[in-house]
Amino acid sequence: MGLRLLVHDWGFWTKDDLYKALYAEGIELFISYGLDGRVTQKEEQDKFKEEFEKRLLEREYDAVFSINFTPLIAEVCNRNNVMYISWCYDSPAVGGTMEQRMYDTNRIFLFDSSELKRNQKVGVNNLHFLNLATNVNRMNSVKLLPAQKEKYSSEISFVGQLYSRELQEIMQLLGPYESNFIQSIVDMQMREQTENIVGKLITSEIVEAITSEELIEKMSKYNKLYNVQEGALRVSTLQLFLLHSATNRERLLLLSLLSKHFKVKLYSPDKHDILNEVEHCGLVSYTDEMPLVFRCSKINLNITSKSIETGIPQRCLDIMGCHGFLLTNYQEDLFTEFEENKDLVIYRSIEEAFDKADFYLKHDGLRRKIAENGYKKVRDKCNYHVQLEKIWKKTGLK
Amino acid sequence: MKILMITYSDKLSAHIAQCFETCGQEVILYEFPHDIDTHQFVVLDETNRADFSNALKNEVYDVIFSIEYIHEISMYANALGVIYLSWILYLPNPDIYRSSVGNLCNAIFACDSTVVELLKSYGAENAYYLANAAISLGNNDYKSKYGASFIEKITILSEEGPFGIESKLSAASRGYIDGMAHCQRLLHDRDVISGNIPQNVRDELLDKYRILTPTDVSVNIDELINYNYFRPYITMQERRIALASMKHVAAVFSDIPVDILDTEEKKIESEEIMKSEEKIKSKEKVESEETLETEEMTGLEENEQLQKIQEKSDKWKENFHDYITDISKRKEIYAQSDINVYITDRAMPSGIAHQVFDIMSSRGFLLMSHQNDMAKHFVCGKDYIEFSNVTDMTQAFIEYGPKSDLRREIAENGFNKIKKEHLMIHRIQELLSVF
């Protein structure tokens, strides 16, 4: 294709698949390693910008490329009039100041349509909707040894974080009034499967009411998650914390309910007391083990983090890409690529999740058919080649 | 038909009776000797019971009709095999929670679609939606006397109640219900309370604040908690917050003691003063090495800022007036206001309050809090404007305040719709056609 890209590598976990796809397109890649664009202190930010600019000016590039949007890179690219493409796999993804978001050199690709609309509403253009991608060839090339079948087999599996530890630590810092006030909002969000209401409910008055030095310090400990800057708690930070809390609650409730009736395996660094009938299997590697989990489980659960409002998370594509049967919470953007009950199955309440799990465990043939349909859709429509083509077209690089 | 109509000697009852007669029905008016309050569970005293029984003995009626649903009337009607027509126009009407709603003699009309669904779920087979309406069209011409007006009572709840300063609830339970109230206040289009109060919070609430009900009431207890505590509190909060944000620009006609608003104003004022002082202090810190002249200027700025706040603080009181009970005087004000603000009581989850019809029938420009049932009859942006929170309300002031022609157009659209489809006679015709 003849393009020359400078790629910012911050350690994102889909890099092997992305680089392989980019090389396959004939793109000349130069990878910038070892710089962390998520730093929050001014001194460190200036240092990052200086170093990145040095690398950018080493040769002429058609564009800079990164997974997720890095405002500091946007600044450097804008200063040097170089196109900056960011393909975001987190949500919310677009941070930084309004000025940084609105640079003419930005080309931001979001997989969550509601985040897209929110930004467009406040005048951030140069945004495009683009679903994520997966590498079905790599995932299906992982060999399943006979001894591993027993290890990874289950009626139901869930791979993901529970966020329990940090949530507990943070909630403990709040008094009984404040923690219960927050909890009522979390419970409300948990009941709302199709809408992010935390955004409407968390106001600056609430943030002010619960802020304390200890709370800020504790949340700073999880800075990469909560991006606490300059010792202040922002509305967006508290919103994210509450969304994680609601996710935590839903995951615990659903896993607990299912485990009382079915064999459930949990692949997570976290544990929780109420999951005493769940088999805790610890972490699995993304490349070597996760495909086997998805392939060997009769039902693969996806319980999307509430911070992703409408988008299709990477997990869904990975599950289907491994011929796994997917039972997922409702996410509006699923319908941009898939058909419900044909390619995957969706639940809209915990009770419905239970009913559907029960049904599909009793209907093997139907379950396998749906898994196969889902796999074909992901193979044909959500692969890196197809999605990258959309990027080149939108950016005019093709 | 021969209708025995229970009346409360008010204009509305008399007008409805007239509408029935216009539609060819025979109406005999009946008034209880002792007043009854349909906002509580109605328990007729012996005098009322005896008198009502006599009224029924002396004549044979096809229908008994009342504004609001009254449990004991339904029991009488059921025993006698007479149809009982009720039209719920004012909420709360707690008798809807009583077992008699399932009586076969009932035909219950309600001005709120959520209440209709509730009635059906409680076994009322014949429950229908029938919106409120205007009694008459106003005959006042528009005159811009008030930039905006707000006419409404604001109930001040007991300080010892569950949401009061001296609430008997634990901090944990109080935190949880405050959170729920906060969510409900900001989420206008759905009920987030009923069925969602955690067991421990509910138990403590009922332990500390008993809810006394007749023995035949068997509804979801959360619904009663919602009606007794949450809805009045959220309404009060909502109206006070709205008032606080607009009292410098709107004429307010309310029964809320000025002291309370004054206290709130002082709270805002003292926060503003504190913020001003902090700004001044931080400025002083930065400029601490500069000359004496600069320090003197800072002192002057401080005085100016405080003076401005003080002036602002006093001025709003000039806009504050007593609540107006006389409907014709209210309609006069509606016609003389550029913007009429209305915030529906949360006892009415979806329906349209009569004040909305009063404003629109007076050719008033209406700016109101979102109510789901408005969309059944009116077009937002064409006949009226709505808001979901105080920020939206303020935005609407900014947007529509300067646009006199547009406001008049919208007010006129609303007025014409009322004239065509939303007078009481239209409703009575609709009621009779359903019935």
Side-chain angles (χ1 to χ4, degrees):
Chain A
M1 206 180 135
L3 284 181
R4 182 186 282 171
L5 296 181
L6 174 62
V7 179
H8 169 57
D9 188 323
W10 52 268
F12 57 96
W13 39 275
T14 55
K15 61 179 175 176
D16 290 345
D17 292 336
L18 175 69
Y19 294 158
K20 198 167 176 174
L22 289 171
Y23 283 127
E25 307 259 321
I27 291 170
E28 202 181 348
L29 278 190
F30 292 85
I31 300 171
S32 166
Y33 290 105
L35 292 180
D36 187 355
R38 292 165 293 181
V39 290
T40 55
Q41 301 301 319
K42 190 171 183 322
E43 221 175 86
E44 288 170 323
Q45 289 181 342
D46 289 341
K47 209 171 155 189
F48 173 90
K49 284 189 280 188
E50 194 187 317
E51 184 54 41
F52 192 83
E53 189 164 40
K54 225 186 279 179
R55 298 180 188 191
L56 178 65
L57 295 174
E58 276 172 9
R59 54 185 63 79
E60 219 173 287
Y61 292 102
D62 293 294
V64 168
F65 191 107
S66 76
I67 291 294
N68 286 348
F69 178 73
T70 304
L72 300 178
I73 292 181
E75 227 179 282
V76 171
C77 287
N78 184 63
R79 193 157 58 221
N80 291 279
N81 201 29
V82 173
M83 186 187 297
Y84 171 40
I85 301 170
S86 55
W87 186 9
C88 301
Y89 77 13
D90 279 332
S91 183
V94 187
T97 63
M98 281 303 284
E99 191 189 353
Q100 287 168 329
R101 295 184 209 182
M102 291 171 80
Y103 291 138
D104 286 339
T105 42
N106 288 345
R107 302 290 184 272
I108 306 172
F109 292 84
L110 300 174
F111 75 102
D112 187 304
S113 62
S114 103
E115 189 183 358
L116 181 90
K117 284 172 195 157
R118 250 196 331 274
N119 275 283
Q120 285 174 334
K121 209 172 165 184
V122 295
V124 181
N125 297 314
N126 297 325
L127 294 168
H128 306 277
F129 175 74
L130 183 68
N131 282 319
L132 300 174
T134 193
N135 182 348
V136 302
N137 291 336
R138 174 190 57 75
M139 289 195 295
N140 290 295
S141 68
V142 180
K143 294 272 180 279
L144 176 68
L145 303 172
Q148 289 174 318
K149 199 166 166 75
E150 171 66 33
K151 183 181 176 188
Y152 297 116
S153 287
S154 186
E155 289 189 303
I156 300 173
S157 291
F158 175 72
V159 181
Q161 284 189 74
L162 298 179
Y163 305 111
S164 293
R165 190 167 37 95
E166 61 255 30
L167 291 177
Q168 208 172 2
E169 283 181 18
I170 290 167
M171 284 294 253
Q172 270 167 7
L173 294 173
L174 300 175
Y177 176 89
E178 290 82 5
S179 60
N180 279 275
F181 187 102
I182 295 294
Q183 190 60 49
S184 71
I185 298 176
V186 168
D187 291 347
M188 203 72 63
Q189 177 63 74
M190 215 206 64
R191 286 188 286 270
E192 282 295 332
Q193 283 285 333
T194 61
E195 191 187 343
N196 174 354
I197 55 170
V198 162
K200 292 179 190 174
L201 299 175
I202 296 299
T203 61
S204 51
E205 287 79 20
I206 292 174
V207 172
E208 216 174 285
I210 68 162
T211 293
S212 67
E213 277 182 27
E214 294 97 337
L215 185 66
I216 292 171
E217 199 187 310
K218 186 61 80 174
M219 290 190 99
S220 300
K221 189 178 151 191
Y222 299 101
N223 195 40
K224 291 215 160 103
L225 202 54
Y226 293 115
N227 194 24
V228 176
Q229 293 194 4
E230 294 170 359
L233 202 60
R234 293 178 301 174
V235 169
S236 56
T237 304
L238 186 58
Q239 285 176 357
L240 190 57
F241 171 69
L242 258 61
L243 291 170
H244 283 165
S245 300
T247 307
N248 165 266
R249 201 150 161 76
E250 183 179 344
R251 288 178 179 180
L252 289 176
L253 281 173
L254 183 51
L255 290 171
S256 172
L257 172 64
L258 291 172
S259 65
K260 287 178 177 25
H261 301 272
F262 313 112
K263 186 176 172 195
V264 175
K265 284 188 175 173
L266 169 65
Y267 298 89
S268 175
D270 305 318
K271 284 189 174 185
H272 199 285
D273 293 340
I274 72 163
L275 302 180
N276 46 21
E277 287 175 85
V278 167
E279 189 179 336
H280 291 268
C281 305
L283 280 170
V284 282
S285 81
Y286 179 70
T287 46
D288 300 328
E289 292 178 282
M290 212 186 287
L292 301 179
V293 170
F294 297 152
R295 215 183 294 165
C296 296
S297 304
K298 290 188 178 177
I299 293 179
N300 291 284
L301 263 185
N302 173 61
I303 310 167
T304 309
S305 170
K306 300 278 183 207
S307 59
I308 301 174
E309 204 169 324
T310 55
I312 309 173
Q314 184 72 49
R315 186 58 35 80
C316 288
L317 303 181
D318 289 346
I319 288 169
M320 289 189 281
C322 295
H323 299 268
F325 173 89
L326 172 63
L327 173 60
T328 174
N329 69 291
Y330 174 89
Q331 291 290 112
E332 192 182 308
D333 293 340
L334 283 166
F335 300 101
T336 59
E337 302 282 11
F338 305 105
E339 266 183 71
E340 188 176 2
N341 299 326
K342 187 181 170 199
D343 307 320
L344 46 77
V345 173
I346 297 172
Y347 70 83
R348 290 164 177 79
S349 69
I350 287 182
E351 295 76 16
E352 194 182 345
F354 174 82
D355 288 340
K356 288 187 171 175
D358 187 44
F359 176 83
Y360 283 101
L361 282 172
K362 290 171 179 160
H363 294 82
D364 287 348
L366 183 55
R367 196 182 67 241
R368 287 196 194 106
K369 181 101 180 89
I370 290 173
E372 203 48 33
N373 290 340
Y375 164 74
K376 285 176 184 166
K377 276 267 171 75
V378 167
R379 180 194 64 192
D380 297 339
K381 296 173 79 174
C382 300
N383 61 66
Y384 276 92
H385 173 70
V386 165
Q387 301 301 68
L388 285 171
E389 277 298 304
K390 290 175 187 168
I391 291 179
W392 311 140
K393 208 170 168 182
K394 291 268 189 222
T395 54
L397 286 175
K398 181 157 180 136
Chain B
M1 281 190 306
K2 195 168 181 183
I3 302 172
L4 178 69
M5 178 170 166
I6 295 168
T7 179
Y8 310 103
S9 286
D10 59 338
K11 277 189 182 165
L12 177 62
S13 300
H15 183 72
I16 288 178
Q18 210 174 8
C19 289
F20 272 122
E21 282 167 349
T22 305
C23 293
Q25 313 303 321
E26 187 188 350
V27 179
I28 286 88
L29 295 176
Y30 172 82
E31 193 175 343
F32 282 107
H34 297 159
D35 286 343
I36 61 170
D37 179 7
T38 56
H39 291 324
Q40 311 292 333
F41 288 108
V42 174
V43 178
L44 298 177
D45 62 25
E46 284 312 313
T47 308
N48 279 342
R49 278 197 192 128
D51 196 74
F52 189 66
S53 300
N54 277 335
L56 292 176
K57 260 188 229 168
N58 295 337
E59 290 280 348
V60 176
Y61 298 100
D62 299 302
V63 169
I64 301 172
F65 176 84
S66 70
I67 294 170
E68 311 313 338
Y69 176 79
I70 302 169
H71 161 78
E72 288 200 40
I73 305 298
S74 179
M75 297 306 276
Y76 272 110
N78 210 43
L80 292 171
V82 175
I83 293 165
Y84 175 38
L85 262 182
S86 56
W87 187 11
I88 301 170
L89 286 172
Y90 299 104
L91 289 163
N93 181 191
D95 271 13
I96 64 170
Y97 300 125
R98 301 201 64 175
S99 58
S100 62
V101 292
N103 286 351
L104 293 174
C105 65
N106 289 336
I108 309 175
F109 293 80
C111 68
D112 187 304
S113 59
T114 301
V115 170
V116 173
E117 291 311 310
L118 211 63
L119 285 164
K120 287 180 181 173
S121 72
Y122 296 155
E125 276 189 29
N126 301 311
Y128 310 96
Y129 170 75
L130 186 68
N132 226 312
I135 295 179
S136 61
L137 295 170
N139 52 16
N140 298 296
D141 290 327
Y142 165 70
K143 188 168 79 176
S144 180
K145 185 176 174 184
Y146 306 104
S149 70
F150 177 83
I151 305 178
E152 193 46 89
K153 291 186 181 185
I154 298 180
T155 310
I156 305 301
L157 302 178
S158 163
E159 287 183 355
E160 288 163 353
F163 290 103
I165 300 167
E166 296 177 23
S167 170
K168 299 174 207 165
L169 296 176
S170 64
S173 292
R174 181 61 199 272
Y176 202 93
I177 64 169
D178 274 355
M180 289 188 92
H182 172 77
C183 295
Q184 182 67 87
R185 186 170 57 77
L186 295 178
L187 299 172
H188 262 263
D189 56 352
R190 67 201 93 170
D191 176 7
V192 302
I193 308 292
S194 300
N196 294 325
I197 304 174
Q199 188 66 47
N200 59 317
V201 174
R202 185 189 296 123
D203 287 347
E204 190 185 341
L205 191 61
L206 293 173
D207 179 52
K208 298 279 188 329
Y209 297 97
R210 289 180 66 202
I211 295 177
L212 296 173
T213 66
T215 51
D216 63 290
V217 171
S218 60
V219 300
N220 181 333
I221 190 65
D222 279 4
E223 178 56 32
L224 289 176
I225 293 172
N226 202 354
Y227 141 68
N228 272 287
Y229 300 125
F230 278 92
R231 287 187 184 138
Y233 176 64
I234 292 166
T235 303
M236 182 195 77
Q237 258 194 333
E238 208 160 39
R239 287 175 175 175
R240 280 171 77 166
I241 289 170
L243 256 189
S245 70
M246 70 174 160
K247 65 180 179 237
H248 293 288
V249 299
V252 175
F253 301 84
S254 181
D255 59 348
I256 187 171
V258 174
D259 293 344
I260 289 180
L261 279 184
D262 203 14
T263 312
E264 294 220 359
E265 175 68 12
K266 283 194 164 60
K267 253 197 257 169
I268 296 166
E269 179 187 306
S270 64
E271 278 172 15
E272 284 186 14
I273 291 170
M274 266 169 57
K275 281 180 192 164
S276 302
E277 282 178 346
E278 278 170 14
K279 273 190 202 163
I280 290 162
K281 275 180 191 155
S282 63
K283 197 176 174 189
E284 279 177 352
K285 199 176 165 190
V286 165
E287 293 172 346
S288 63
E289 290 178 5
E290 293 189 10
T291 62
L292 187 61
E293 278 172 312
T294 309
E295 282 173 353
E296 280 175 356
M297 274 177 66
T298 306
L300 269 174
E301 280 175 13
E302 175 182 346
N303 283 338
E304 264 178 40
Q305 285 185 24
L306 289 175
Q307 209 175 351
K308 272 187 190 157
I309 290 166
Q310 197 59 44
E311 278 168 14
K312 193 173 162 189
S313 169
D314 291 339
K315 200 163 168 44
W316 69 269
K317 289 176 189 173
E318 294 167 20
N319 296 335
F320 198 83
H321 312 276
D322 291 334
Y323 177 69
I324 297 175
T325 51
D326 186 317
I327 178 62
S328 47
K329 287 209 164 70
R330 289 209 294 267
K331 283 170 98 80
E332 208 178 293
I333 293 168
Y334 296 145
Q336 291 172 346
S337 304
D338 290 349
I339 299 177
N340 292 284
V341 179
Y342 188 70
I343 298 170
T344 309
D345 191 316
R346 291 302 189 113
M348 189 172 281
S350 308
I352 310 169
H354 70 86
Q355 289 92 331
V356 167
F357 292 96
D358 290 343
I359 291 169
M360 290 171 96
S361 64
S362 307
R363 284 194 160 91
F365 172 86
L366 171 62
L367 173 61
M368 64 177 284
S369 54
H370 172 84
Q371 289 291 110
N372 284 346
D373 288 345
M374 279 298 277
K376 293 185 197 308
H377 310 285
F378 304 101
V379 178
C380 179
K382 188 180 167 205
D383 306 322
Y384 76 104
I385 304 298
E386 71 176 26
F387 58 86
S388 295
N389 52 55
V390 168
T391 310
D392 284 354
M393 184 189 79
T394 314
Q395 194 54 40
F397 268 86
I398 293 168
E399 192 178 334
Y400 291 94
K403 295 176 185 169
S404 169
D405 289 346
L406 179 58
R407 275 189 279 105
R408 292 327 311 152
E409 188 189 326
I410 290 173
E412 206 58 32
N413 289 342
F415 175 81
N416 288 334
K417 266 229 173 115
I418 298 285
K419 187 174 166 189
K420 195 175 165 199
E421 298 165 6
H422 300 292
L423 294 172
M424 274 300 167
I425 186 66
H426 299 125
R427 295 292 185 263
I428 298 302
Q429 285 166 345
E430 193 183 332
L431 184 154
L432 289 169
S433 73
V434 168
F435 175 65

